[in-house]
């Protein structure tokens, strides 16, 4: 039960054209229609505009798919019963034949197996606020999957200090791309540090090469702050996050439902500005990831 690749992706893997893997939980659980299809297409277009190939990764009819044709993207975006697929769900969905959006963890696993070296998402999962026992499988995947992961930090609805502690313990380098601070997803600043700051895709490629040469198992986490014009000021974001987290607590929402609930409430509580920030950072990350994929390619050829 291997993963199915589109002909375009199979050829790019063979020829060494830079590829950027994209998750699909944001299509099935992050954004509602029609915004979900729109943002998925725009991310793919942003990667193509940089001369790289997007490989959106999802489960369709119980098959792991590496790269989606537009009609498949449409089908996934329209399927409101598609499941949220993290690592533990993968074998279940493959056996049962359902559709699913792959989380960061599941996408990283499938992308790495396919030989893709760069992965782009909005914000990774992490340790939940008030629930240090609720640790996203995304963190375990980051610790054990050597792929360059481009993100805007961890989702700010999480406990960011505990999330960073976990990454440190498990040997995941946290790189600030044009920043000294760990970005807070909706906002550029968190007051927390990163392990190093870089300014160029080439610097990321050099760190990735050194990691590979050492045979280390962890991802590189490249953290790109949301564009200034689209950010939600940190204090404003904090007020909405505190309220959303309190509501989740009151309603007893937990497990895999808590992240989608919090993100959707953030959009409502901010009058749509959380969505604007989320979209802007996704497109910015897609462009940056494509440039890093090119730099990795060039470094490998040098
Ligand atoms: N973006 C969203 N909604 C989501 C996710 C992303 O707007 O549900 C997914 C991501 O794919 C991430 C996952 O990997 O949520 C983390 O979920 P959890 O905290 O349950 O591990
Ligand atoms: Mn969880």
């Amino acid at each position: 039960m291997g993963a199915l690749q589109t002909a375009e992706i199979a050829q790019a893997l063979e020829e060494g054209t830079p590829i950027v893997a994209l998750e699909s939980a944001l299509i099935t659980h992050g954004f509602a229609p029609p915004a979900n299809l729109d943002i998925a297409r725009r991310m793919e277009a942003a990667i193509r505009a940089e001369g790289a190939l997007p490989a959106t990764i999802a489960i369709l009819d119980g098959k792991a798919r590496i790269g989606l044709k537009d009609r498949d993207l449409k089908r996934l975006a329209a399927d409101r019963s598609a499941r949220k697929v993290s690592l533990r769900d993968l074998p279940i969905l493959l056996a049962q034949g359902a559709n699913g959006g792959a989380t960061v963890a599941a996408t990283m696993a499938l992308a790495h197996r396919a030989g893709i070296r760069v992965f782009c998402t909005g914000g990774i999962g992490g340790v939940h606020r008030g629930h240090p026992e609720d640790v996203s499988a995304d963190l375990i995947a980051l610790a054990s999957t050597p792929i360059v992961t481009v993100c805007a930090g961890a989702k700010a609805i999480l406990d960011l200090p505990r999330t960073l502690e976990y990454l440190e313990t498990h040997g995941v380098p946290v790189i600030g791309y044009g920043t000294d601070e760990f970005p807070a997803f909706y906002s550029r600043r968190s007051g927390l540090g990163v392990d190093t700051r870089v300014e160029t895709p080439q610097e990321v490629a050099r760190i990735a090469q050194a990691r590979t040469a050492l045979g280390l198992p962890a991802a590189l986490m490249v953290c790109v702050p949301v564009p200034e014009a689209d950010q939600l000021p940190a204090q404003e974001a904090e007020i909405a996050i505190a309220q959303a987290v309190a509501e989740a607590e009151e309603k007893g929402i937990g497990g895999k439902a808590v992240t989608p609930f919090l993100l959707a409430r953030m959009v409502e509580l901010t009058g749509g500005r959380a969505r604007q920030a989320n979209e802007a950072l996704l497109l910015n990350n897609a462009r940056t990831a494509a440039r890093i994929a090119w730099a990795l390619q060039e470094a490998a050829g040098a």
Side-chain angles (χ1 to χ4, degrees):
M1 275 206 249
L4 289 180
Q5 299 166 0
T6 57
E8 197 183 28
I9 293 298
Q11 188 182 354
L13 281 165
E14 202 165 300
E15 292 175 353
T17 310
I19 302 174
V20 176
L22 295 170
E23 62 144 311
S24 50
L26 74 94
I27 301 172
T28 55
H29 291 77
F31 290 83
N36 60 351
L37 180 59
D38 184 59
I39 191 67
R41 282 176 168 162
R42 286 164 69 204
M43 286 178 78
E44 291 210 348
I47 290 165
R48 286 184 195 277
E50 296 291 330
L53 271 190
T56 298
I57 294 185
I59 315 301
L60 283 177
D61 307 318
K63 298 226 164 44
R65 306 279 294 261
I66 314 290
L68 296 185
K69 296 228 174 74
D70 194 63
R71 63 165 185 273
D72 290 331
L73 209 56
K74 253 169 109 169
R75 189 149 78 88
L76 187 69
D79 181 0
R80 300 320 282 159
S81 67
R83 314 236 289 261
K84 174 177 160 185
V85 184
S86 193
L87 279 178
R88 58 138 187 223
D89 309 291
L90 260 181
I92 298 174
L93 251 80
L94 294 202
Q96 295 179 348
N99 289 344
T103 65
V104 167
T107 304
M108 288 178 76
L110 292 169
H112 177 60
R113 278 181 62 108
I116 299 172
R117 292 184 298 173
V118 180
F119 160 59
C120 170
T121 181
I124 61 155
V127 183
H128 280 270
R129 294 189 186 201
H131 290 275
E133 76 287 359
D134 184 350
V135 178
S136 174
D138 293 359
L139 294 186
I140 288 79
L142 282 159
S144 58
T145 318
I147 188 166
V148 176
T149 299
V150 181
C151 60
K155 297 190 184 79
I157 53 166
L158 299 165
D159 184 328
L160 297 185
R162 279 206 169 95
T163 299
L164 278 175
E165 285 297 339
Y166 187 101
L167 292 167
E168 179 188 351
T169 301
H170 293 271
V172 181
V174 177
I175 300 168
Y177 196 87
T179 182
D180 297 308
E181 268 186 54
F182 187 58
F185 192 63
Y186 302 116
S187 324
R188 293 177 61 84
R189 295 174 166 280
S190 66
L192 301 163
V194 289
D195 300 324
T196 189
R197 172 185 181 138
V198 302
E199 305 293 341
T200 64
Q202 287 73 28
E203 287 169 88
V204 175
R206 280 200 292 276
I207 298 171
Q209 274 193 311
R211 187 268 326 263
T212 303
L214 289 167
L216 294 172
L220 292 190
M221 191 168 153
V222 179
C223 302
V224 191
V226 58
E228 183 100 52
D230 300 294
Q231 78 163 330
L232 209 53
Q235 293 102 320
E236 205 182 318
E238 261 318 306
I239 293 169
I241 290 167
Q243 182 170 339
V245 168
E247 287 178 12
E249 212 56 71
E250 249 164 57
K251 293 183 198 283
I253 296 171
K256 68 195 287 186
V258 71
T259 297
F261 171 83
L262 292 174
L263 295 173
R265 271 310 271 154
M266 283 299 291
V267 172
E268 291 164 2
L269 291 168
T270 60
R273 291 180 57 220
R275 184 193 292 125
Q276 181 189 334
N278 201 347
E279 289 181 357
L281 68 85
L282 283 167
L283 294 173
N284 192 44
N285 291 353
R287 275 189 291 274
T288 308
R291 290 174 192 160
I292 292 170
W294 269 110
L296 275 174
Q297 192 58 32
E298 284 159 10

